[in-house]
Amino acid sequence: MTASTPADMSYPPIRNGMDYLRSVVDHLDCEEPGERDLKYAVLHLQAATEVLLKALLVSLDWTQVFSKPDEADRLAYQQGIFHSCKIDDAIKRLRERGVEISPEDKGNITNLAQQRNRLQHFGLTAAAPAIESRAAQVLDFLIAFVDDHLRPGVQEVDQRHLDQEMLRVREALPRIRSYSAIIMKRIEPTLTGREWHTLRCPDCAKWALLAEGGETRCLFCETDWYVEFFPLVYAVGVLGHSQRDYRKTPGGPAEQCPDCDTYALIDEAYVAARPNEAVQYCFGCSTPFQGLEPCLRCGRLFQLPEDHFAICNDCMGSMG
């Protein structure tokens, strides 16, 4: 008895990415996704995002998908034997070529990649609501990304395939979102009146993180963090910064707070009271600031009064 000859696998990058995307929807579009569903939703959504971003990058300049474009080799590319760029680098290179990817979308993608890495090494550690919410955010981004950037450049037969796959995603997305809406309605009374202490959560991306009383806890996904680590978590998960940006900075993005003296103040944060205007926020004493400036002598942040030298009171006193 001889084994039958297997059918050839033909998964060009865009079809491969769409297959991952279809898998994500299949795992999440159910009444209550289980641990296995959540695990493969994270793995396949991160894979779909990376494959589709790089597919566009290749269409613009195939050398840019190499980790080191100046060492790009056509034969190595055709054989798939090369080190490709990281997803953060792919986003940066797409932006340099005119592709708009907002800081919020980049933050969602970066957080997804971190979830995927934690899942690979430590198993599922995030709460189900956080995973579903973040997945809905990234799916939203990918729908627009495929329509605006990938679909116009593919052949008609591939456009039909894209349209069929995206129809399934569009039909499922409202059902995936509905779970989030139920939770947000439940926690809304607790957040009302605390808009100056409500921020976007780095895990689930909802405006449901309450930074109050020196504690940081998301009411949506029920995740909490140690205050001393949170400025870095926020900078990466919400602002879309890379951890590599802070490798040579021991405290990460944290500054010393002029009120409580803890190194838990971040220079750029957004609160629900003013979601489009950056404030400075200390997670140690849960205080929003505006107009803090570094002292020219000691470097510490302080509230700079009008018509005042940029030197804090302590340094002014020591100067006699």
Side-chain angles (χ1 to χ4, degrees), residues 142-160:
L142 287 178
I143 287 173
F145 181 81
V146 169
D147 285 345
D148 296 342
H149 300 293
L150 286 178
R151 189 180 184 279
V154 301
Q155 296 179 353
E156 186 177 344
V157 63
D158 289 319
Q159 284 186 351
R160 288 197 298 269

Side-chain angles (χ1 to χ4, degrees), residues 80-93:
I81 306 173
F82 64 95
H83 291 292
S84 67
C85 63
K86 296 185 186 234
I87 196 164
D88 282 348
D89 292 325
I91 291 172
K92 179 182 177 183
R93 293 170 190 180

Side-chain angles (χ1 to χ4, degrees), residues 17 157 218 247 263 268:
V157 63
C218 179
R247 282 180 179 172
Y263 284 86
E268 180 187 1

